[in-house]
Amino acid sequence: MPKVDDAHFAARRRQILDAAAACFAREGFHRTSVQDIVRESGVSAGLVYRYFTGKDDMIAAIVAERHEQRERRLREDPFAAYADLLRGLADPAGRDALRLSLQVWAETVRSEPIRALVRSGVDRPASHAAELLAGNPLPPGVDADAVVRIFIAVYQGLLLQTVLDDTLDHERLAAAAEHLLRAALSPPQ
C-alpha cells in the first residue's frame, strides 16, 4: 500500500471538512448525515472515517480551525482584526460561514466538548485584547475585560442579525461599532 504524504493527507482532510461545513451550513448538524458529507466531498465513507470518527469530530475540527484562524488575526492587530470581522459580515460569500457559526453556538447547549472549544476560542483572544486594552486609560470603574466582552457581544449580535436580515446596512453598523471602539480607547477628557 503506497504511503500517503502529509500534503495529501492535509488536502483530503481539508476536502472532507469543506464538504462537512457546506452541508452543516445548508442543513444543520442534526439533519446532515455522514452520507451527505460523503456525497458532497466525493470521497468514500471509509475515507471519511479514516480521518474522522464521525460528525462530532468534524464539528470540533471545524470549530478549532476557525478559532485558530481568527485568533491568529486578532493577535497580530486585535483592533484591525475586529473591524475586519465586522466588515466581513457584509460579504455575501461568507453567509454559509455565518450560518455555521450560529449552528455551532446552538450546539454548545447540547455538547460540552463543543462548548469548551467555543469558550476557549473566545476566552483566549478576549484575554489578550483585555491585556492590550488595560494599557489604555479607561474611565474609573470600567474594566478592560468588560469592554472586550461587550465588543464580542456586539459582533455576535450583528452576526445573528446578518443571518436573520439580508437588508442590514453593514457599512453603517460597522462604522458605528468602530466609532464606539475608538471612543472606548480614547483617553477621558
Side-chain angles (χ1 to χ4, degrees):
M1 182 170 191
K3 188 167 183 145
V4 176
D5 69 4
D6 290 344
H8 180 80
F9 182 87
R12 282 294 193 192
R13 186 176 190 280
R14 170 87 278 123
Q15 180 181 356
I16 294 165
L17 284 178
D18 288 347
C23 289
F24 295 150
R26 189 172 50 245
E27 296 296 329
F29 294 139
H30 302 289
R31 288 187 61 191
T32 297
S33 68
V34 172
Q35 190 57 42
D36 293 330
I37 297 166
V38 165
R39 232 183 338 273
E40 182 88 16
S41 67
V43 302
S44 70
L47 191 59
V48 169
Y49 283 111
R50 179 173 181 216
Y51 289 86
F52 301 98
T53 59
K55 288 192 316 183
D56 286 348
D57 195 22
M58 289 181 239
I59 295 165
I62 291 166
V63 170
E65 277 186 358
R66 292 192 177 194
H67 280 292
E68 287 168 14
Q69 292 166 356
R70 187 170 292 144
E71 188 171 353
R72 213 176 7 259
R73 285 181 36 220
L74 288 165
R75 283 207 170 273
E76 291 167 6
D77 183 345
F79 307 109
Y82 182 77
D84 290 346
L85 283 172
L86 290 172
R87 295 197 184 284
L89 294 172
D91 182 5
R95 291 298 161 96
D96 281 351
L98 300 181
R99 284 191 289 275
L100 187 56
S101 291
L102 286 182
Q103 303 260 351
V104 168
W105 295 344
E107 193 67 7
T108 64
V109 174
R110 185 192 74 81
S111 169
E112 185 55 39
I114 298 300
R115 183 176 183 270
L117 272 172
V118 170
R119 284 283 313 270
S120 70
V122 171
D123 290 347
R124 280 191 319 270
S127 175
H128 177 69
E131 288 171 15
L132 293 174
L133 189 58
N136 290 305
L138 293 171
V142 175
D143 168 281
D145 182 66
V147 171
V148 169
R149 296 290 174 168
I150 288 168
F151 281 99
I152 290 169
V154 167
Y155 168 75
Q156 291 171 332
L158 289 176
L159 186 151
L160 175 61
Q161 289 182 49
T162 299
V163 171
L164 296 175
D165 183 356
D166 292 336
T167 67
L168 286 181
D169 181 348
H170 291 92
E171 287 300 316
R172 184 176 60 87
L173 295 172
E178 288 177 52
H179 172 77
L180 292 173
L181 183 58
R182 278 193 302 278
L185 298 175
S186 297
Q189 305 226 351

